[in-house]
């Protein structure tokens, strides 16, 4: 059991990374939390697809493939930018039980899976992603609590109101709980996207673009606090990807909301 506390809030928790064992195999809380997030995401995505009158059979097929390739992508992304950890033992790349996944890898590979599937099945890619991204946000919010159990994805030392005390290298340190910051960020993003999806969406892709904008902005600043970032040279990879999401999302949202409207109302439409 590990002790995790929030001293300035007067909170203290005793946490065990292992939930239970089956036939000698340990089942980690992290895996249970991630699985729960996926189930919640599936239910919300299905609800959104039904509201949009999409073919739910096709939609759930691609959701299944997206999960599989998203997990693979999350691992590939992490390994590529941490290859020195695996260079001398390439088989350890396949040992997911030791940890090492990255959400942006899951998003990139998941999006590519949906893109290929919708092209093959002649469906609208952006309608599918508009149904998925709100669910993705809440799944991320849930999944970050796996980081809490594992005492990972935290930031620099601080004595702020939400400071978290954990054991690091045999001593207690008080750090930014960046997992908590991102979980709260994703709950807010989820609420905004669901409201927009139900009341204000006009064109395909608008919910997807807003996800890129809001999540990208929040992740950019939270990533700057973390001590475990993946780097490309002197730059944090996640901050680079976040900037790309924000810029692309902003340009595409403006185009969708205003330029498309102008085309529709023009004499040439």
């Amino acid at each position: 059991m590990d002790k995790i506390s929030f001293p300035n809030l007067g909170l203290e928790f005793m946490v065990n990374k292992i939930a239970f064992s089956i036939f000698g195999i340990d089942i980690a809380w992290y895996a249970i939390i991630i699985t729960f997030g996926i189930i919640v995401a599936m239910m919300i995505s299905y609800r959104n697809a039904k509201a949009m009158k999409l073919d739910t059979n096709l939609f759930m097929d691609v959701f299944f493939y997206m999960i599989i390739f998203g997990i693979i992508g999350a691992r590939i992304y992490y390994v590529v930018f941490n290859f020195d950890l695996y260079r001398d033992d390439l088989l350890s790349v396949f040992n997911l039980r030791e940890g090492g996944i990255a959400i942006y890898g899951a998003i990139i590979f998941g999006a590519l899976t949906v893109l290929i599937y919708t092209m093959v099945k002649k469906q609208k890619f952006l309608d599918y992603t508009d149904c998925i991204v709100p669910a993705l946000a809440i799944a991320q919010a849930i999944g970050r609590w796996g980081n809490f159990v594992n005492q990972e994805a935290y930031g620099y030392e601080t004595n702020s109101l939400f400071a978290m005390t954990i054991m690091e290298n045999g001593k207690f340190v008080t750090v930014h709980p960046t997992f908590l910051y991102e979980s709260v960020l994703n709950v807010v993003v989820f609420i905004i996207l669901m409201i927009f999806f139900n009341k204000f969406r006009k064109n395909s892709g608008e919910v997807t673009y807003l996800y890129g904008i809001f999540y990208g902005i929040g992740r950019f600043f939270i990533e700057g606090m973390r001590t475990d970032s993946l780097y490309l040279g002197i730059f944090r990879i996640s901050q680079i990807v976040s900037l790309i999401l924000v810029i692309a999302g902003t340009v595409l949202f403006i185009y969708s909301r205003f330029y498309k409207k102008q085309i529709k109302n023009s004499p040439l439409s």
Side-chain angles (χ1 to χ4, degrees):
M1 298 286 284
D2 299 312
K3 183 172 79 171
I4 304 175
S5 64
F6 295 82
N8 297 329
L9 297 175
L11 299 174
E12 185 174 301
F13 305 91
M14 297 303 295
V15 178
N16 191 339
K17 295 179 182 179
I18 304 301
F20 54 88
S21 298
I22 299 178
F23 303 116
I25 300 175
D26 291 336
I27 307 300
W29 275 113
Y30 187 88
I32 293 172
I33 292 168
I34 292 294
T35 301
F36 177 66
I38 290 172
I39 292 170
V40 172
M42 180 178 65
M43 293 170 63
I44 293 171
S45 296
Y46 181 84
R47 175 263 176 202
N48 290 344
K50 201 168 182 181
M52 203 182 286
K53 295 182 172 55
L54 299 180
D55 185 322
T56 52
N57 289 325
L58 290 178
F59 184 85
M60 294 312 295
D61 282 348
V62 74
F63 191 92
F64 174 76
Y65 295 129
M66 180 188 70
I67 295 303
I68 294 174
F69 288 104
I71 292 172
I72 293 171
R75 182 60 170 175
I76 290 174
Y77 186 100
Y78 182 86
V79 169
V80 166
F81 292 108
N82 266 312
F83 190 66
D84 286 343
L85 298 176
Y86 305 94
R87 187 187 304 275
D88 299 325
D89 183 14
L90 293 180
L91 289 179
S92 64
V93 168
F94 303 98
N95 187 10
L96 286 175
R97 292 179 62 82
E98 293 297 321
I101 58 175
I103 186 60
Y104 273 140
I107 291 172
I108 292 168
F109 275 68
L112 287 173
T113 301
V114 176
L115 176 62
I116 293 169
Y117 186 92
T118 52
M119 289 176 64
V120 171
K121 296 295 185 178
K122 295 181 172 55
Q123 302 294 303
K124 289 186 177 180
F125 169 69
L126 291 175
D127 280 350
Y128 274 54
T129 58
D130 278 355
C131 293
I132 292 169
V133 290
L136 171 62
I138 199 62
Q140 288 176 262
I142 294 169
R144 281 301 172 193
W145 286 92
N147 300 137
F148 167 72
V149 174
N150 283 357
Q151 298 180 61
E152 60 189 10
Y154 53 84
Y156 296 111
E157 292 191 40
T158 182
N159 193 35
S160 64
L161 177 62
F162 297 103
M164 176 181 68
T165 299
I166 60 172
M167 180 69 73
E168 180 186 66
N169 298 324
K171 64 177 183 178
F172 285 106
V173 293
T174 303
V175 297
H176 280 288
T178 49
F179 82 89
L180 174 61
Y181 301 159
E182 187 167 335
S183 183
V184 172
L185 164 68
N186 282 309
V187 170
V188 173
V189 171
F190 167 72
I191 293 170
I192 291 172
L193 296 184
M194 286 301 293
I195 292 172
F196 190 89
F197 180 91
N198 289 312
K199 295 183 178 297
F200 303 107
R201 179 181 183 270
K202 291 184 178 180
N203 298 305
S204 297
E206 290 182 346
V207 183
T208 303
Y209 307 148
L210 286 180
Y211 170 83
I213 296 169
F214 291 126
Y215 178 69
I217 291 172
R219 179 61 186 269
F220 180 88
F221 289 105
I222 293 171
E223 189 68 24
M225 301 180 193
R226 287 179 60 165
T227 58
D228 61 344
S229 298
L230 303 177
Y231 281 86
L232 182 62
I234 62 172
F235 299 103
R236 298 173 190 255
I237 297 295
S238 288
Q239 287 189 316
I240 295 173
V241 177
S242 295
L243 280 177
I244 293 172
L245 284 179
V246 173
I247 294 169
T250 301
V251 171
L252 291 169
F253 184 84
I254 291 172
Y255 170 80
S256 176
R257 180 49 63 106
F258 301 107
Y259 185 65
K260 276 188 176 181
K261 186 176 180 180
Q262 293 174 8
I263 292 175
K264 184 176 179 179
N265 294 333
S266 74
L268 299 177
S269 62

